[in-house]
Amino acid sequence: MKWPRKKDEKPSKPSIEEQQAEKLAQMGAKLAVLRQQKGLSMDEIVLTTRIPRRLLNAIEVGDLSDLPEPIYTQGLIRQFADALGVKGAEFASHFPLGSQKVSFQSNWQPQPFFQLRPLHLYLLYIVVIVCSVTSLSQLLNQTALEANNSQNQLKAEKNDDLKPQKLQSQDLKAIPFDINSSETVEIDVTLQSSSWVRIVADGKTEFEGVLPKGSHRKWKAAEELTVKTDNAGGVLMSVNQQQPKQMGQPGKFQEVRIAAKVRS
């Protein structure tokens, strides 16, 4: 025997977690579109808000699991919106916190002072939370910056290890470029494989670092250009639009100095 269903049966109301997840997805998508329209990178938002990148990414993609408590999340959304020129407080207020109303079942009527007291405590709680969010954001951002600086220092030390300490004289004669063909010097460099490269133009370092395979760069100097690499076979170089040539053998250090024609 089947029991008849009640006609007035209503669908269950979404839980506060479901409401927060749905609202975060909507708000994060709006912030992501607005950031892209303004042409701002995520790194620029990190510097402005001092909020770690992973938290900003979690807001944009609507990943509630990677964010702190709802009240902290609301503060992060406010700072994110402020950085994009939106009224952060008004925008963040749409994120549900899940606060519950406290009701007292009693037969006596409280005095006005006791009616206002819970509100005062709630406002004080909000102030404390906002200050805590700001402090937490600064602490997390400082930690992220320190970690980033450590990584950059390690990369710099690694690049220093790749720099040639002493170049042999025979390497300087290995490239048959016409070095006096013009009053200025212009080179085109194409990377056949990832290589460390240093470019010095008229005594000033224009570039130093590792270029990935397939990179194509140009440099120009009025008097002299110096090109150094740790992988001569992976670098094709053309001087003043001549036929490009390899700087040397693969995996070998090489330095080439190209001087402009002396003006009379």
Side-chain angles (χ1 to χ4, degrees):
M1 179 177 180
K2 296 183 179 179
W3 296 95
R5 295 184 178 180
K6 297 181 179 180
K7 296 183 180 181
D8 57 347
E9 183 176 344
K10 296 181 180 180
S12 60
K13 185 178 180 181
S15 65
I16 185 62
E17 290 80 8
E18 293 174 341
Q19 296 178 30
Q20 291 171 345
E22 180 180 0
K23 198 63 180 179
L24 180 64
Q26 298 174 0
M27 300 174 75
K30 290 181 181 180
L31 292 174
V33 171
L34 184 59
R35 177 178 63 79
Q36 294 172 3
Q37 290 177 348
K38 291 180 175 291
L40 297 174
S41 66
M42 187 62 75
D43 291 333
E44 291 174 314
I45 301 299
V46 170
L47 292 177
T48 301
T49 62
R50 299 183 178 275
I51 298 175
R53 183 187 183 93
R54 66 178 183 83
L55 297 181
L56 295 175
N57 285 331
I59 292 175
E60 282 198 354
V61 302
D63 186 3
L64 193 62
S65 63
D66 202 24
L67 292 169
E69 295 296 326
I71 186 66
Y72 291 99
T73 299
Q74 188 182 70
L76 296 175
I77 294 173
R78 175 181 59 80
Q79 291 180 269
F80 196 166
D82 285 335
L84 297 176
V86 180
K87 293 181 179 179
E90 180 179 351
F91 184 83
S93 64
H94 297 289
F95 181 75
L97 297 179
S99 58
Q100 299 179 350
K101 295 181 179 180
V102 180
S103 60
F104 298 93
Q105 296 181 355
S106 176
N107 295 326
W108 58 278
Q109 297 293 333
Q111 297 296 325
F113 173 78
F114 294 101
Q115 288 179 348
L116 294 176
R117 186 175 180 182
L119 177 61
H120 292 163
L121 292 176
Y122 180 75
L123 292 177
L124 180 60
Y125 173 74
I126 292 297
V127 172
V128 172
I129 291 300
V130 171
C131 294
S132 300
V133 169
T134 303
S135 301
L136 177 62
S137 299
Q138 293 177 352
L139 178 60
L140 292 176
N141 185 66
Q142 182 179 359
T143 303
L145 289 177
E146 290 177 354
N148 188 38
N149 291 336
S150 299
Q151 293 179 356
N152 291 337
Q153 184 177 359
L154 291 175
K155 290 181 179 179
E157 291 176 355
K158 182 178 180 181
N159 289 336
D160 288 339
D161 294 337
L162 295 175
K163 297 176 185 177
Q165 300 298 325
K166 184 180 293 185
L167 297 171
Q168 300 178 0
S169 59
Q170 60 181 1
D171 292 334
L172 301 179
K173 300 177 182 178
I175 308 301
F177 287 111
D178 182 5
I179 61 174
N180 294 318
S181 60
S182 176
E183 293 183 353
T184 59
V185 181
E186 182 176 350
I187 63 170
D188 293 343
V189 174
T190 302
L191 275 295
Q192 293 183 314
S193 61
S194 179
S195 308
W196 172 85
V197 177
R198 177 193 288 170
I199 305 296
V200 180
D202 296 332
K204 179 181 178 182
T205 300
E206 296 293 336
F207 175 82
E208 181 175 0
V210 177
L211 290 176
K213 179 180 178 181
S215 300
H216 180 77
R217 303 287 292 272
K218 293 183 179 182
W219 288 277
K220 188 175 182 180
E223 297 179 358
E224 183 182 77
L225 268 171
T226 301
V227 183
K228 296 182 181 181
T229 181
D230 67 339
N231 183 18
V235 180
L236 282 179
M237 186 171 68
S238 171
V239 180
N240 293 339
Q241 300 181 354
Q242 296 178 8
Q243 185 68 22
K245 300 181 179 67
Q246 284 185 335
M247 289 185 63
Q249 298 179 359
K252 297 293 184 180
F253 289 116
Q254 182 63 269
E255 179 184 45
V256 177
R257 292 189 179 92
I258 307 170
K261 183 177 180 181
V262 179
R263 301 178 183 178
S264 58

